[in-house]
Amino acid sequence: MTNKSNKMIFIRLAVWILLVLGLQGIQSNFSWVESSFSRGLYPIYTYLPKIFFAWLPISIGDLIYTLFCGLAYMIFRSIVLLFRKRFKASGLQVLRLTEIILIIYVFFYTSWGLNYYRIPIHEQMDINVDTILFENHLAVLDQHIQKANALREDLNFSDQSRSIADSKIEKIMREDDVFKMLSKTQVKIKKPIIGPIASYFGVSGYFNPLSNEAQVNREMPLISYPFTVAHELSHQMGIGFEDECNFIAFVKLKDNPDPWFQYSAYYQSVTYLLRTLYLVDSTQFGAYQDKLSPKVILDIKEEQSYWRQYTGWLTNVSGIFYNQYLKYNNQAEGMARYGMVSRLIIAWEQKNRQ
């Protein structure tokens, strides 16, 4: 490589580093992110992946992930060159790798990642999550258990179609309602190319920010399928926080005429509220768990059995990785953030009862 080429790579690196620093500065300005990015630039940008990727039957994002193997090769090659004492060649390889990582970082945050730093939904919707009383938790949990029990009684999962559910939920998510902060440019669910392998990663669904595609594992039990579709579409529509995506999925589905969608919403709400209760009062947890109907209990056991058969080192590794990813992106609670939906649901129910 010539001296001119060496100079150019350093100039490019300096530019990318300045962009990274600029993005990190923007992340602390929640108001700007909300008004200018999440409600301004993001809905416009998403026309591009919608035009290029949405109409394709396969997940382009899964193919993009395979390109990361090239990064692993570059790391391996730089180490080999280092051991062979080809220090200059190894250094240049590291510089190229660094540049690629910086490009991915900048693209990730400018195309979607800044949504992690928008104004929280509870502030935008004036929902008070700071003072959740224990008695309110129990009251909402009791109500949702009764609702789940009643919905489950006559529900037949053999009559349900995932494909039809996808189309219906896409339509539900596009409807105008209380969630004015959602981008409606692209609302499209896909199934992952990796198929059943997703279960080995412990994944029911995921959003690929590089291609702006939302995917749901078609192998997962039907019980939680509608809720998972709505959750992943919420990410696609510009919501970063996991508890907020859960909350949107619950509100969107809980009053839908389709009993399956309603049940999926209340089933998930009950499981999250029970988990939170268990951490606070295990005795009360047992008492409320006993209120679940035999059919709901069987559903819980079916889901647990399904995911247990795929649990292994791959699930653990992916869990650790994603936990750290969430912590880095403004969610210090990591994967525990999913369960924080309990606060939003209780506060929402209390607000609507007033």
Side-chain angles (χ1 to χ4, degrees):
M1 183 177 284
T2 64
N3 290 332
K4 184 178 180 180
S5 298
N6 289 341
K7 184 179 180 180
M8 285 303 299
I9 194 170
F10 281 108
I11 292 173
R12 292 198 305 270
L13 281 172
V15 171
W16 290 118
I17 289 171
L18 287 174
L19 288 172
V20 168
L21 293 174
L23 284 168
Q24 291 182 343
I26 290 172
Q27 290 170 5
S28 60
N29 190 340
F30 296 168
S31 296
W32 185 92
V33 171
E34 182 65 42
S35 61
S36 299
F37 178 79
S38 297
R39 297 192 185 215
L41 295 174
Y42 179 70
I44 296 172
Y45 161 76
T46 49
Y47 278 107
L48 293 177
K50 181 178 181 179
I51 293 169
F52 291 117
F53 304 136
W55 58 275
L56 293 169
I58 63 172
S59 172
I60 300 301
D62 284 357
L63 297 177
I64 292 174
Y65 280 146
T66 62
L67 298 179
F68 282 91
C69 295
L71 295 180
Y73 172 76
M74 291 181 72
I75 295 172
F76 173 76
R77 180 171 169 75
S78 63
I79 294 172
V80 170
L81 290 170
L82 185 63
F83 275 100
R84 291 179 178 176
K85 297 185 179 180
R86 296 175 59 185
F87 301 117
K88 185 177 180 180
S90 177
L92 290 172
Q93 190 79 356
V94 170
L95 289 175
R96 293 193 191 100
L97 177 63
T98 302
E99 183 178 16
I100 292 172
I101 292 173
L102 290 173
I103 290 171
I104 294 172
Y105 181 97
V106 171
F107 179 74
F108 168 74
Y109 282 103
T110 55
S111 63
W112 184 82
L114 281 177
N115 286 313
Y116 281 123
Y117 301 91
R118 63 191 303 182
I119 297 174
I121 278 181
H122 73 268
E123 292 184 20
Q124 297 192 53
M125 299 177 65
D126 193 27
I127 303 172
N128 184 8
V129 297
D130 296 326
T131 54
I132 302 296
L133 301 177
F134 186 62
E135 61 213 54
N136 292 338
H137 185 126
L138 295 179
V140 172
L141 173 57
D142 189 62
Q143 176 194 9
H144 287 202
I145 287 176
Q146 292 180 41
K147 190 74 175 180
N149 287 345
L151 286 165
R152 183 63 182 90
E153 195 59 35
D154 298 319
L155 190 59
N156 185 355
F157 286 114
S158 63
D159 297 335
Q160 311 305 333
S161 165
R162 297 178 197 267
S163 298
I164 293 175
D166 291 347
S167 299
K168 284 185 177 179
I169 297 170
E170 287 169 4
K171 183 179 179 181
I172 292 167
M173 297 300 287
R174 291 191 193 97
E175 292 172 353
D176 289 329
D177 54 14
V178 295
F179 299 110
K180 304 300 182 184
M181 73 289 295
L182 295 179
S183 167
K184 298 188 173 80
T185 305
Q186 178 172 208
V187 187
K188 178 70 175 177
I189 204 72
K190 288 187 176 184
K191 62 179 180 180
I193 292 176
I194 57 177
I197 299 176
S199 298
Y200 285 101
F201 285 94
V203 171
S204 57
Y206 58 97
F207 172 72
N208 189 316
L210 301 179
S211 62
N212 206 261
E213 292 171 303
Q215 284 99 177
V216 172
N217 183 352
R218 291 292 187 96
E219 306 296 323
M220 68 176 292
L222 285 165
I223 305 157
S224 301
Y225 187 82
F227 189 91
T228 304
V229 172
H231 175 105
E232 298 308 329
L233 288 175
S234 297
H235 280 311
Q236 190 178 54
M237 299 172 79
I239 303 300
F241 287 171
E242 301 299 341
D243 58 324
E244 293 183 350
C245 289
N246 279 341
F247 175 62
I248 291 170
F250 171 75
V251 174
K252 284 280 192 177
L253 299 179
K254 72 182 184 70
D255 295 321
N256 189 270
D258 191 319
W260 179 25
F261 295 176
Q262 283 191 57
Y263 177 66
S264 186
Y266 281 103
Y267 172 85
Q268 286 292 334
S269 172
V270 166
T271 55
Y272 280 118
L273 289 167
L274 279 173
R275 287 175 197 168
T276 306
L277 179 59
Y278 178 78
L279 297 174
V280 177
D281 190 329
S282 58
T283 302
Q284 288 279 23
F285 167 81
Y288 278 84
Q289 188 181 43
D290 289 340
K291 294 185 178 185
L292 296 172
S293 73
K295 287 186 177 181
V296 175
I297 291 173
L298 282 175
D299 287 342
I300 293 174
K301 290 181 177 179
E302 179 187 337
E303 280 214 310
Q304 290 175 340
S305 176
Y306 174 81
W307 291 110
R308 193 180 297 116
Q309 67 181 317
Y310 293 103
T311 301
W313 69 270
L314 199 57
T315 311
N316 296 333
V317 170
S318 64
I320 292 171
F321 172 80
Y322 193 59
N323 189 58
Q324 294 304 313
Y325 167 84
L326 292 178
K327 288 183 177 181
Y328 181 80
N329 285 292
N330 202 29
Q331 299 179 78
E333 304 81 7
M335 292 183 70
R337 186 83 197 199
Y338 285 89
M340 290 173 66
V341 67
S342 298
R343 303 178 312 159
L344 287 165
I345 291 175
I346 296 166
W348 171 261
E349 294 284 25
Q350 290 299 309
K351 179 180 178 180
N352 289 319
R353 287 177 182 175
Q354 295 175 358

